[in-house]
Each structure stands twice: as C-alpha cells, then as structure tokens.
Amino acid sequence: MDTEVCRRFGIEFPLFAFSHCRDVVAAVTNAGGFGVLGAVAHTPDRLDEELRWIDDHVGGRPYGVDVLVPGRIDKSAEGGGGLDAMLAAIPDEHWTFLAELFARYGVPLPDFERARRAEARGGARVTAAGATELIEVSLAHPIGLIASALGTPPPLMAEMARERGVPVAALVGTPEHARRQVDAGVDLIVAQGGEAGGHTGDISTMVLAPEVVDTVAPLPVLAAGGIATGRQMAAALALGASGVWCGSVWLTTEEAETSPAVKAKMLAATSRDTVRSRSRTGKPARQLRSAWTDEWDGPASPGPLGMPLQMIVAEGAMRQITKVAESGNLGARELANYFVGQCVGLMNTVRPARQVVYDMVDDFATAVERLNAITKTG
Amino acid sequence: MDTEVCRRFGIEFPLFAFSHCRDVVAAVTNAGGFGVLGAVAHTPDRLDEELRWIDDHVGGRPYGVDVLVPGRIDKSAEGGGGLDAMLAAIPDEHWTFLAELFARYGVPLPDFERARRAEARGGARVTAAGATELIEVSLAHPIGLIASALGTPPPLMAEMARERGVPVAALVGTPEHARRQVDAGVDLIVAQGGEAGGHTGDISTMVLAPEVVDTVAPLPVLAAGGIATGRQMAAALALGASGVWCGSVWLTTEEAETSPAVKAKMLAATSRDTVRSRSRTGKPARQLRSAWTDEWDGPASPGPLGMPLQMIVAEGAMRQITKVAESGNLGARELANYFVGQCVGLMNTVRPARQVVYDMVDDFATAVERLNAITKTG
C-alpha cells in the first residue's frame, strides 16, 4: 500500500501494533507493519533488555515504543515523597475491600506488603519523572517512533525525541485533545475511539476519526478503537485516516503473553462483554467485564482511587488472581480480566501475529474491491 | 451506485433517512435515497394525513414508515387499564420533581393535567396495540418498507406487511438481537451503534456492523450510528454493510422541524455534547446533554420511570420547555434538548436535505478514490 505514513515510517502496510509483548512487536514489524512496545510495565533495565531483543530480531526494520505519560495523577505521586508517600495515600478501606474480595471469591491473599512496594515502584513510573527514564532508555535504541498514551507528551520527551530525529505520536480521544497535541509539536496523531481497550474516552471511532482528521490536517492520523480486521482498516482509511493502530487483536495471538484463562475468556467473549471501568488504573479503561469490575463498580466498593494509586492497589491483586486462575481456582477465574476493546467479539481464533497482519491486508483488499464494485456501475 | 439494497428498494443510493419530518422524507426520496417517516409521535389520523402528503410529493418514488414497538414496557401500559391506569402508575414525586425543576429554571408550568392526558394518549401508542393501529394506517399507503425501532416486530406486523408484499426492517444494537430478528422473519437489518441518536445500545458501529453482517448473512444490513458524511458511508460499506441509515444528520437541515433553539445547540455542539440517558423515554436514548439530562440523572432526581411512563412525564414538559425557549427564556434554553447522535459534532451547517444527500454521494466517491489510490500502487 502507498500512504504518506507508509513512506514516512518505511513500512508496507499502515498498520501499527501496540503490544506489551516483544514477540508481537517483532512479528508485526517483520510482516510489514509497525510494532510498538508498551513500556509502562517495565523497569528501565527490563525495557532496555526487551528493546535489545527486538533489535536482534527485526533486522533493522522499524518499530517504536509507547510510554504512558498521564496528564493528571494523584498528587502523592508527584510530590516527591516517593513510594512511602504513595502507599500512605491509599486508605485502609481499599486494602480491606481487597482482602474481603479475595476471601469472598476463595482466592488466597498474596503477600500484600511485598506487592504494595513492587506496585508502588511500578506506579512511580507513570509519573513524568518515571516516564522520562523510560524515554531515555528507548531513545538509546534505533526506534522509529515514540508514543505517549495519555495526556500531552512532556516537553522534554518531544525535545529529546526531536534531537534524535524520532517522530512523536500521541493518542487522543477528542478533537480538543488532538488540537492540544498538535500545538505541542506532535508528528502523528492516534485518534482512539471509545470502543478501544485500555484508557479511552467515549466518542466512537466512526465519529472521532473524521473529526480529528479535519482538526489536525495535514498531519497524518491513525484510527484506533474497535479495529481487528481488514474491512475495519478499510473503513478507517475511508474515514480519512492514514493508517490504523490496533492493540486488542494481538492479545489472542500465539505470541501474546496473555494468561491462558484470560485468553480463553477473550476468545469466548462477545462485543458486549467489555466495560469502561476505573477499577484497574484509576482512569476509565475498557476491559473485559468480570467479577473484578462488577465488584469495584458495585455498591459495596469504596470506589477506585486516582492514578497511580489504584494501579498500586489493583495490579498486585490482579497478578495474584491471574496466577491462581491458572491453577483452576473458580473464584479467580470469575475475577480475572484484562484490558481489551469491543472488537474482542471479532477475536475468535488464535493465530500467529504475522498471520493477523496478512489476513488484515487480504481482507482490506477485498473490502476495497467491494466498494469499487458498488461505485463502478453507479 | 449498485448494491443489492439499491436494486431491491428501487433507489439510486443506499442511503436511508429516518425523520419525523415529512419534508425530509420526501426530499431524500426525491434525491435518490429512501426516506422513512418516524410515526411514533402521530395519532393514526395524523399519520394518514402525513403519508398522503408524502404520496403527493414523491411521484411514486419509494419511502417507508418506522413504528416504535418496544419489547418490554411498563405493565400499567399493557394491562388494558388505558390512560387512567398509566397515569395512576406515575408516582407523585415525579410530578413534584418536574414542578420544582421548572421553578428552579424559571420556566412557567404548562397545564400538566392536560399535558398528562395528551401524553398518556401518546404513551398508549407505544404499546403493541397502539403500534398495530399505526401499522394498519401505514400499510394502506404505497410504502416500500416498514421498520420497527425497538424489539422484535410483533408477529402481526410481519404478517400484515408480508400480505401486502412490504419488506420489514428492524433496528438492532447487538448481534444477538439481530439473530432474533432474522428468526422473526425480518427482511432487512439496521445495525445501530451506540453513538447513534435515540434508543441505542453501547456497541459501536465500527464493531457492531461487521459482527451483524456476519451474523445475518446473506440478509442485507444497513449500518447506523454516527454516520453523517459520505466518508462514513464509505466506511460503513467497507465494513460489509449494504447501505446506511441516518437519523441525526437531517435534524439541522432546512426542512427539519427541529426547534430553532435546539437546532442552534446542535450546530454548536461537539461530539462530546451528547449523553445516553433514560430521562426522556424511560429507555437509554442518546440526546444532547443539557440541564434536563443532568438534572434527571443527578442525585436529587427520583430516577426516570420505565417506558412509556417516563415519556408521559417528559414529553409534555419538553414541549413546554421548547416553546418557552423560543421566547428567549434562558432556563428553558438550558433545559432544551433533543435526540441526536455523536455525529452532531460533524453537523455544522444548515443545508437542504437534498443537498445533504448529494454531498454524501460526492464525499463517498472521494473516499473510494482515496482508497483506490492507496491500494493501486501497493
């Protein structure tokens, strides 16, 4: 295919794959798309290691990194008080609710003290300072794109990237946010509809993509949200997007590190089985609806905290839940979930990531032929 | 254009226009699309009159009627107790809340007793019996389609339509509902995404359309929800739909009967300015967010009733609000709203309905050319 984005990023298909799994990133890049590694879960050392692995497996083909840089986070996390300040800002009732939840579902409690400290260290990385470390590590590799998933990229990120000639992308959920990103000097906008997995707004891709395209023209826009097939990729390009950004579809690939219990849930799920909930990160994020989201969003819940405090509460717990679910614990299976978009209803088979790319490209061509057949005789 | 739907319905463009305004219906039909009159607001006599007017203005070109047939409604409305039973089922606190709301916003109270009885008569028509009357009136005209906006069409409707050789369409918000409609013998499915105006589910058009296409194949599917431009029409057809069903886009046309205060709000609104609320009909319906939806969905609200009771409470009130808003009353302007989809963000100019059709067809062709340019050199 020939789009501005293909030429600019040196790829065959304007298909960007967001994944926390390095194998998916490399597979998509090697298949002619553009893999983007989600860096938020990693320590700087671990990220460096992952990127080195990718460098060794893509033979110089282009890939990128996505760093979560939230616009607004809990003040305890920005105050410089470190882990202890963050832990102190979490009310006891949240830990109590969690302990009762585990008891009710028959899931053994993890070592919360250890989990708290580990997660607080993770939470510390979704601050501007934490993100900057990850950005520095990323820019030491031959990356072709650095993306910011929440809020305007810190001026430092844009500056550091520009010095190395690395384009900066930003995910947006409204035309207003897109305008702000353009003003901040971003090179590529990802317009992400409310049907997307993870952190989303609530304007749908069908409406958001053309609005953002008009708002930021002539800057290129990738459409995201709900896209898992080639016909949807054709739809996105019909809307004026220069390419697509997909996250969910890789979660059920062979390479994905998705836990088997959650993968099985995703393969069985319909498009109705997701919910936008603050229960995992503190910001509204679409995910599989499960006992976890029902309980946190239910009447007995103390209510999710802000970001990153809710991440500290939730992620250690979810790790334990996922682990225990694998051993067949039914309560843990009810609770288990993961971030995924409404297109989970279209994710019904396990394929290699490479095959997903090829299938999307084939399906894209078929959709364009169908459109041509309609217009030719018109 | 040449699609199965064009051939079957005798139209040039697979563009279906839902409107409560007969002028819009006739204008779209005369421009080569397919106008569908929303019958819910009308008495049988008034509907007959409207359809006669359309017959006189479309010169035999095809048009249709849409009847609201809810699957589940308040039992007081189905019990055969008539208007009095429905009025008796509305708690006093709802009338009190309404009176206080009017006082707080400085809007003079309407004659509620009169309004109640008028609205109860309207409410009575969203029962199966009421809908049947409207269906009988409709089938006495040369209509080319009868559509059911909520729930499975009553077997009687399908039967009556089939006797006259009139195809039946049904709006659905999930693949499961689509399957049920196919089993009920429907001829055309409208897959309506959660970004649509009026009664909606929450699966987006980008995901719902391909899911429903796969579910009901080879039955044709129209995509609805968020569609107001030709690029979106191209996107819908890329997704596998055989055409589109648009409602919102007509509300800001020259012909639309939308009240001037609400029309001005729509022209100014962005895609963020809608909300899915039960405050007007008792079922979740997307509409302009206004003081009305904020108050009914707020903490002081007694909570919306079921359908059609909430319609009885709300519609007389909204009629008064709309009327008073025209006289410049600021409180009434804050409260005023109407059903509209997220594509309200793309509705920024007043055009004749005919022009909207032509613009969509032009824009569609441009989008297809853009897709071809991308693939040709690939």
Side-chain angles (χ1 to χ4, degrees):
Chain A
M1 300 183 204
D2 182 31
T3 72
E4 189 195 334
V5 159
C6 287
R7 288 188 296 269
R8 170 120 189 231
F9 290 90
I11 49 182
E12 284 176 70
F13 318 118
L15 167 56
F16 289 65
F18 171 84
S19 175
H20 289 289
C21 171
R22 65 189 190 184
D23 302 79
V24 168
V25 171
V28 171
T29 283
N30 287 328
F34 192 105
V36 180
L37 187 75
V40 70
H42 298 313
T43 60
D45 283 352
R46 176 71 194 280
L47 177 62
D48 191 48
E49 200 180 296
E50 299 286 278
L51 297 182
R52 234 179 304 132
W53 185 93
I54 294 174
D55 292 337
D56 288 346
H57 286 80
V58 297
R61 290 184 195 84
Y63 73 94
V65 175
D66 179 287
V67 182
L68 189 75
V69 189
R72 266 174 310 187
I73 59 172
D74 191 89
K75 61 184 184 310
S76 66
E78 284 293 28
L83 309 190
D84 289 330
M86 279 191 266
L87 287 173
I90 298 174
D92 282 343
E93 62 170 334
H94 285 77
W95 296 115
T96 310
F97 176 73
L98 207 53
E100 282 170 3
L101 190 66
F102 272 62
R104 211 141 25 91
Y105 283 82
V107 179
L109 277 175
D111 177 349
F112 267 134
E113 190 48 40
R114 213 172 130 240
R116 282 180 208 202
R117 298 204 72 85
E119 296 310 320
R121 278 191 293 276
R125 282 193 300 280
V126 297
T127 62
T132 305
E133 267 191 279
L134 297 178
I135 295 164
E136 276 170 1
V137 167
S138 304
L139 288 171
H141 291 264
I143 59 172
L145 180 75
I146 190 154
S148 159
L150 279 178
T152 320
L156 188 63
M157 168 168 161
E159 216 174 282
M160 288 160 69
R162 205 160 295 125
E163 266 173 32
R164 269 107 163 171
V166 174
V168 177
L171 273 73
V172 303
T174 69
E176 295 76 19
H177 290 170
R179 165 66 49 212
R180 219 177 300 156
Q181 298 286 6
V182 173
D183 294 344
V186 153
D187 305 284
L188 178 68
I189 297 284
V190 183
Q192 182 183 261
E195 56 268 72
H199 296 111
T200 62
D202 60 7
I203 307 173
S204 79
T205 302
M206 182 64 86
V207 173
L208 183 69
E211 265 192 308
V212 170
V213 165
D214 289 349
T215 302
V216 309
L219 221 60
V221 173
L222 305 181
I227 300 169
T229 67
R231 339 173 233 189
Q232 293 170 307
M233 187 174 168
L237 271 62
L239 293 174
S242 303
V244 295
W245 172 281
C246 303
S248 299
V249 69
W250 317 109
L251 294 170
T252 50
T253 56
E254 273 180 24
E255 292 89 340
E257 288 156 2
T258 317
S259 87
V262 171
K263 209 186 232 185
K265 274 192 170 185
M266 287 182 177
L267 291 167
T270 75
S271 54
R272 298 180 83 168
D273 296 329
T274 71
V275 64
R276 232 170 124 245
S277 164
R278 294 176 51 230
S279 61
R280 284 192 67 140
T281 70
K283 290 189 186 280
R286 190 174 294 283
Q287 53 200 280
L288 275 182
R289 188 181 158 183
S290 77
W292 173 269
T293 57
D294 286 351
E295 295 285 354
W296 274 98
D297 299 333
S301 162
L305 299 166
M307 178 182 277
L309 302 188
Q310 185 66 19
M311 294 172 83
I312 299 175
V313 173
E315 290 308 300
M318 288 309 293
R319 220 189 313 277
Q320 169 79 350
I321 287 166
T322 307
K323 202 178 82 186
V324 176
E326 296 320 321
S327 72
N329 180 302
L330 293 180
R333 289 195 173 187
E334 274 188 76
L335 290 164
N337 86 346
Y338 193 69
F339 307 105
V340 74
Q342 291 184 338
C343 63
V344 71
L346 297 162
M347 292 155 48
N348 305 315
T349 56
V350 176
R351 291 170 290 170
R354 185 188 63 245
Q355 193 59 45
V356 173
V357 175
Y358 297 153
D359 288 350
M360 282 185 78
V361 172
D362 275 356
D363 190 34
F364 175 90
T366 308
V368 174
E369 278 164 29
R370 186 169 54 237
L371 277 176
N372 277 324
I374 289 165
T375 39
K376 238 173 253 163
T377 42
Chain B
M1 299 183 205
D2 182 32
T3 72
E4 187 195 335
V5 159
C6 287
R7 288 188 296 270
R8 169 121 191 230
F9 290 91
I11 50 182
E12 284 175 70
F13 317 118
L15 166 56
F16 288 66
F18 171 84
S19 176
H20 289 288
C21 171
R22 64 189 190 185
D23 301 79
V24 169
V25 171
V28 172
T29 284
N30 286 328
F34 193 104
V36 180
L37 187 74
V40 70
H42 297 314
T43 60
D45 284 352
R46 177 69 194 281
L47 177 61
D48 190 48
E49 201 180 294
E50 299 287 277
L51 297 182
R52 234 179 303 133
W53 185 94
I54 294 174
D55 292 336
D56 289 346
H57 287 79
V58 298
R61 289 183 196 85
Y63 74 94
V65 175
D66 179 288
V67 182
L68 188 76
V69 189
R72 264 175 310 186
I73 59 173
D74 191 272
K75 62 184 185 308
S76 67
E78 283 295 27
L83 309 190
D84 290 331
M86 279 192 267
L87 287 173
I90 298 175
D92 282 344
E93 62 170 333
H94 285 78
W95 296 115
T96 309
F97 175 74
L98 208 53
E100 282 170 3
L101 189 66
F102 272 62
R104 211 141 24 91
Y105 283 82
V107 179
L109 277 175
D111 178 348
F112 267 134
E113 190 49 39
R114 212 173 130 242
R116 283 181 208 202
R117 299 204 72 84
E119 296 310 320
R121 279 190 293 275
R125 283 193 300 281
V126 296
T127 62
T132 305
E133 268 192 277
L134 297 178
I135 295 165
E136 276 169 2
V137 168
S138 304
L139 288 172
H141 291 265
I143 59 171
L145 179 75
I146 191 154
S148 160
L150 278 179
T152 320
L156 188 63
M157 169 168 161
E159 215 174 282
M160 288 160 69
R162 206 160 293 124
E163 267 174 30
R164 269 106 162 172
V166 175
V168 177
L171 273 73
V172 303
T174 70
E176 295 75 21
H177 290 169
R179 165 65 50 212
R180 218 177 299 154
Q181 298 285 6
V182 174
D183 294 345
V186 153
D187 306 283
L188 178 68
I189 297 285
V190 183
Q192 183 183 259
E195 56 268 71
H199 296 109
T200 61
D202 60 8
I203 307 172
S204 79
T205 302
M206 182 64 86
V207 174
L208 182 68
E211 266 193 307
V212 170
V213 165
D214 288 348
T215 302
V216 309
L219 221 59
V221 173
L222 305 181
I227 301 169
T229 66
R231 340 172 231 190
Q232 293 170 306
M233 187 173 167
L237 271 62
L239 293 173
S242 302
V244 295
W245 173 280
C246 303
S248 300
V249 70
W250 318 108
L251 293 170
T252 50
T253 57
E254 272 180 26
E255 292 90 340
E257 288 156 2
T258 316
S259 88
V262 171
K263 209 186 232 185
K265 274 191 171 185
M266 287 181 177
L267 291 167
T270 76
S271 54
R272 298 181 84 169
D273 296 329
T274 71
V275 64
R276 232 170 122 244
S277 165
R278 293 177 51 229
S279 62
R280 285 192 66 141
T281 71
K283 290 188 186 279
R286 190 174 294 283
Q287 53 200 280
L288 276 181
R289 188 180 159 184
S290 77
W292 173 269
T293 57
D294 285 351
E295 295 285 354
W296 274 99
D297 299 333
S301 162
L305 299 165
M307 179 182 278
L309 302 188
Q310 185 66 19
M311 293 172 83
I312 298 175
V313 173
E315 290 309 300
M318 288 309 292
R319 222 189 311 280
Q320 169 79 349
I321 286 166
T322 307
K323 202 178 83 185
V324 176
E326 296 320 320
S327 71
N329 180 303
L330 294 179
R333 289 196 173 188
E334 273 187 77
L335 290 163
N337 85 346
Y338 193 68
F339 307 105
V340 74
Q342 290 183 340
C343 63
V344 71
L346 298 162
M347 292 156 48
N348 305 316
T349 56
V350 176
R351 289 171 291 170
R354 185 188 64 245
Q355 194 58 45
V356 172
V357 175
Y358 297 152
D359 288 351
M360 281 185 79
V361 172
D362 275 356
D363 190 34
F364 175 90
T366 308
V368 175
E369 278 163 30
R370 187 170 52 236
L371 278 176
N372 277 324
I374 289 166
T375 39
K376 237 172 253 162
T377 41

